[in-house]
Amino acid sequence: MRARIVILISGRGSNMAAILAAGLPLEVAAVISNVPHAGGLELAAAQGIPTAVVDHRQYAERAAFDAALMAAIDRHAPQLVVLAGFMRIFTPQFVAHYQGRLINIHPSLLPAFPGLHTHRQALAAGVRIHGCTVHFVTDQLDHGPIVAQAAVPVLVEDTEALLGARVLRCEHEIYPRALRWWAEGRLASLQDGRIRVRDVPLQGAGSLIVPEGP
Ligand code: GRF
């Protein structure tokens, strides 16, 4: 039987779309948004995937929202909950409930630049290399065992938008890949909290030097 996932979104859902387009050996049981008219919802519905909205503004307290969200998710009994641009911070209870079953993509090379406006943070810091990270979620914001990362150069003429678009293209590559490894049972947690991906040939081991030149 194929593993079931539920995807959580808050916006346009381009990562969700990349996951759906990848033909992964898993079932997307539902897409759930905290924002009623999130663009990604329509996209998912058009592909015949059940969608639901749990609007955080209807809940006075974070704990009540999280409880309602958990109920909406657990209705589909997923083995993995996939955060794809889901812009809410969870209670420790929520994170504990999905321990080891909650995965996220963050648009920076963690542990650098947690939080919001990561491309702005990267430009302000003057880093030459930026990127994105797929990681399992822990109690600490934008932190947790790393599954995959992709790096891009930061160019002198970059704006937040240009850099963001370059990183987003990488997000669309590594998130489906990480989920495929998960679905194939190839992610192993090491005792020290790191993750090993089984049976991946050593590749991409060259260096990215920015700026390049003699
Ligand atoms: C992505 O950059 C994701 O890493 C971040 O929010 C953005 C969501 O984009 N957390 P989309 O909704 O997947 O297009």
Side-chain angles (χ1 to χ4, degrees):
M1 215 176 72
R2 297 202 303 172
R4 294 158 68 81
I5 67 168
V6 165
I7 303 179
L8 304 188
I9 62 168
S10 296
R12 69 191 156 182
S14 72
N15 275 291
M16 176 209 74
I19 293 164
L20 297 183
L24 301 175
L26 50 77
E27 183 193 342
V28 180
V31 171
I32 301 175
S33 172
N34 64 310
V35 176
H37 299 291
L41 286 176
E42 239 176 82
L43 233 143
Q47 301 200 27
I49 294 166
T51 62
V53 172
V54 183
D55 184 350
H56 62 278
R57 289 167 308 183
Q58 307 288 322
Y59 300 86
E61 281 165 20
R62 203 177 280 280
F65 166 69
D66 276 11
L69 184 59
M70 276 193 248
I73 294 169
D74 290 348
R75 201 167 293 142
H76 300 280
Q79 278 95 42
L80 188 72
V81 178
V82 175
L83 306 176
F86 189 73
M87 306 304 282
R88 302 297 300 171
I89 292 173
F90 296 117
T91 54
Q93 288 75 12
F94 185 99
V95 176
H97 183 69
Y98 296 107
Q99 210 217 334
R101 297 194 290 141
L102 191 56
I103 197 167
N104 183 42
I105 188 150
H106 181 75
S108 79
L109 290 173
L110 290 173
F113 315 133
L116 295 174
H117 310 300
T118 53
H119 312 310
R120 195 183 305 169
Q121 292 189 55
L123 290 172
V127 296
R128 300 288 197 186
I129 294 173
H130 183 42
C132 52
T133 304
V134 176
H135 67 100
F136 282 98
V137 174
T138 63
D139 256 350
Q140 210 180 320
L141 181 68
D142 297 326
H143 180 268
I146 291 174
V147 179
Q149 292 187 305
V152 299
V154 180
L155 308 179
V156 188
E157 57 273 16
D158 267 344
T159 58
E160 231 179 299
L162 280 172
L163 182 55
R166 193 173 308 125
V167 170
L168 192 64
R169 282 195 293 277
C170 287
E171 294 185 40
H172 297 164
E173 275 188 46
I174 65 168
Y175 215 178
R177 230 185 264 204
L179 293 178
R180 181 182 299 279
W181 296 333
W182 172 81
E184 293 172 349
R186 287 163 60 190
L187 299 186
S189 288
L190 302 183
Q191 297 217 319
D192 59 8
R194 288 183 305 149
I195 288 184
R196 180 193 301 283
V197 183
R198 294 194 196 92
D199 305 324
V200 185
L202 187 62
Q203 55 182 337
S207 35
L208 173 63
I209 300 176
V210 185
E212 230 186 2

